[in-house]
Amino acid sequence: MGIVDEMVGASPAICAVFDLVRKMATTEMPVLITGETGTGKELTAQAIHERSLRKHGPFVPINCGAIPETLLESELFGHERGAFTGAVQQKKGKLEAAGGGTVFLDEVGDLLPTLQVKLLRFLQEGTFERVGGQETLHVDARVLAATNVDLKTAISKNLFREDLYYRLGVLHIHLPPLRNRGEDPLLMATIFLKQAAVTYRKQIRGYTPQAIDALRTYSWPGNVRELSNRVRRAVVMAEGMEITPQDLDLAVEDLQTVDSLNSLRAAHRRIEMELLVKAISLHRGNLTRMARDLEVSRSTLYRKLRAYGLEKFMPAATPLSFRSKTKFNKSKQSLPQEHGRGISPEPIPDLPLKPAHEIPQSV
Ligand SMILES: Nc1ncnc2c1ncn2[C@@H]1O[C@H](COP(=O)(O)OP(=O)(O)OP(=O)(O)O)[C@@H](O)[C@H]1O
Ligand SMILES: [Mg+2]
């Protein structure tokens, strides 16, 4: 079973999602997860699985949009020997592979009408036949599905069955785009930077003020995936101790114009947040030293950290959002694994913020 990456976020929009995941994980019903590209639909599906009673069973993803139509039925439901040219032996499909666990149907809007019927029957009765098979199989797999197309529009164009939509979407989670998640881009950028700095063994302290502005004002059309890729790239490209907008490849003209007259409060928040992030980094989360440096009391400082959702990034923090127990239990000393790449065990001295997987979490 794969390790679920942690979901990072402190904005009200993403905290509402965490709440839904918590509640929906404990049921057996299908969940439909929607959201723009890169918003974390698959990660959310994994988080639901990891928090469900099925967590010891398999999590089996299948991308319905990436598999040629002719192969999809067999991929999903399996086939019998001789079912079609090239079917030299019986093959189990992803549904069977997900027995006792969860199947994640990504891009479910791309399913052809015939497969929609077959899926609907599986959702209603838990049964299906392999391609070319007579035997009716019963499989105990929970279905989670995702789409970034609007299924209601697909229904109106007769491309998606309404009955299937209602079956799949009784429980629905919509992931907000990153641009609507308040200060989350900055929080994520801080965490991703720490992880990437460890991975690529670079001594990078943080972001320049201009880079922080860029991170906060860019509209993130590719959402979290884009943010994560840009930060990783920046860490590789950076020549100095701080990441610049150029390292992030965020040209000034890409940035949204910052609002003007009503932005005094916003500017205040931005500066406070920036200082807090810097102070955590500089003083390795030592509250007393941070308070002294920022010339506020410890209690004021703590209140501010909470207000910005930053208290989770303090080393001895109280829990925040999601983490995979599997990952957490692996080793508190272990450093993040990035898709099979080994990671240097050396800590980065100037960046006390914990890598995402080490931040104590609870949902
Ligand atoms: N809240 C989050 N915290 C940390 N990482 C995240 C978060 N959301 C998404 N990611 C990361 O962003 C990347 C994209 O996430 P994911 O693949 O789940 O998105 P998606 O919505 O399925 O994208 P697509 O529509 O392109 O399939 C992954 O590397 C994932 O680990
Ligand atoms: Mg996806």
Side-chain angles (χ1 to χ4, degrees):
M1 191 168 46
I3 292 167
V4 175
D5 285 332
E6 177 188 344
M7 293 190 76
V8 177
S11 62
I14 201 71
C15 286
V17 168
F18 294 162
D19 269 352
L20 291 177
V21 169
R22 246 192 323 244
K23 285 178 189 148
M24 294 179 185
T26 54
T27 78
E28 286 288 289
M29 289 158 92
V31 180
L32 182 64
I33 305 165
T34 57
E36 289 177 11
T37 181
T39 44
K41 295 183 292 297
E42 181 152 0
L43 199 58
T44 302
Q46 287 177 313
I48 292 174
H49 171 76
E50 288 276 327
R51 303 185 63 77
S52 75
L53 291 173
R54 296 173 172 271
K55 63 183 171 209
H56 299 301
F59 176 85
V60 182
I62 174 165
N63 189 328
C64 306
I67 298 173
E69 290 163 10
T70 45
L71 284 182
L72 188 57
E73 181 172 9
S74 142
E75 275 296 305
L76 199 49
F77 298 99
H79 63 246
E80 297 295 342
R81 187 174 165 202
F84 47 83
T85 319
V88 288
Q89 57 189 20
Q90 185 201 67
K91 182 176 167 248
K92 290 184 178 173
K94 300 278 187 188
L95 269 186
E96 269 181 273
T102 306
V103 65
F104 173 56
L105 305 176
D106 207 356
E107 310 292 354
V108 73
D110 288 349
L111 273 186
L112 286 180
T114 47
L115 293 192
Q116 291 179 29
V117 175
K118 215 165 163 174
L119 175 62
L120 182 64
R121 179 177 146 214
F122 177 71
L123 288 171
Q124 284 169 338
E125 298 163 19
T127 59
F128 62 92
E129 285 91 32
R130 294 193 193 109
V131 179
Q134 304 294 322
E135 188 192 356
T136 297
L137 303 172
H138 294 254
V139 169
D140 168 35
R142 182 180 187 187
V143 175
L144 303 178
T147 175
N148 56 19
V149 300
D150 181 12
L151 289 183
K152 289 240 170 91
T153 310
I155 291 168
S156 69
K157 292 182 184 163
N158 283 331
L159 295 172
F160 203 80
R161 293 181 65 103
E162 196 167 12
D163 46 7
L164 178 58
Y165 173 75
Y166 286 117
R167 269 279 160 180
L168 277 178
V170 182
L171 300 181
H172 177 206
I173 296 181
H174 181 72
L175 289 166
L178 194 52
R179 62 185 171 278
N180 293 347
R181 294 193 206 172
E183 305 292 352
D184 281 358
L186 195 50
L187 289 190
M188 286 178 176
T190 308
I191 290 170
F192 294 161
L193 183 145
K194 165 75 177 169
Q195 290 174 326
V198 173
T199 304
Y200 302 116
R201 301 174 184 229
K202 302 259 312 230
Q203 303 251 328
I204 294 177
R205 224 184 349 241
Y207 296 94
T208 63
Q210 294 80 2
I212 289 179
D213 261 353
L215 287 164
R216 295 183 75 254
T217 53
Y218 183 59
S219 63
W220 301 111
N223 294 294
V224 187
R225 181 179 294 110
E226 180 183 2
L227 172 60
S228 149
N229 289 343
R230 280 189 190 270
V231 170
R232 233 169 330 167
R233 176 186 180 282
V235 168
V236 171
M237 300 307 289
E239 289 175 357
M241 297 283 275
E242 291 187 325
I243 303 273
T244 64
Q246 289 71 33
D247 295 331
L248 288 162
D249 202 15
L250 288 177
V252 177
E253 57 268 22
D254 286 348
L255 307 178
Q256 292 167 351
T257 36
V258 188
D259 44 346
S260 51
L261 279 179
N262 68 351
S263 71
L264 199 54
R265 189 187 293 262
H268 180 91
R269 276 179 60 83
R270 190 175 71 236
I271 291 164
E272 257 189 6
M273 169 107 172
E274 232 171 73
L275 287 172
L276 289 168
V277 169
K278 274 197 177 155
I280 297 175
S281 193
L282 193 64
H283 297 297
R284 299 166 184 251
N286 180 313
L287 205 64
T288 307
R289 275 192 272 144
M290 287 171 65
R292 195 164 44 220
D293 204 7
L294 295 170
E295 297 179 6
V296 291
S297 68
R298 279 169 52 103
S299 58
T300 303
L301 175 59
Y302 194 69
R303 197 163 31 80
K304 295 269 182 208
L305 288 168
R306 285 192 62 137
Y308 290 102
L310 285 169
E311 85 278 18
K312 302 99 186 179
F313 302 99
M314 302 286 285
T318 44
L320 160 71
S321 50
F322 288 104
R323 103 172 17 265
S324 147
K325 282 207 174 91
T326 334
K327 194 163 190 176
F328 189 55
N329 290 342
K330 257 192 145 187
S331 158
K332 289 200 174 174
Q333 299 304 318
S334 75
L335 286 154
Q337 292 293 316
E338 195 192 85
H339 299 299
R341 235 191 311 259
I343 284 172
S344 154
E346 294 162 20
I348 299 289
D350 288 322
L351 282 167
L353 297 188
K354 295 191 166 203
H357 78 295
E358 289 184 9
I359 298 165
Q361 312 244 345
S362 80
V363 186

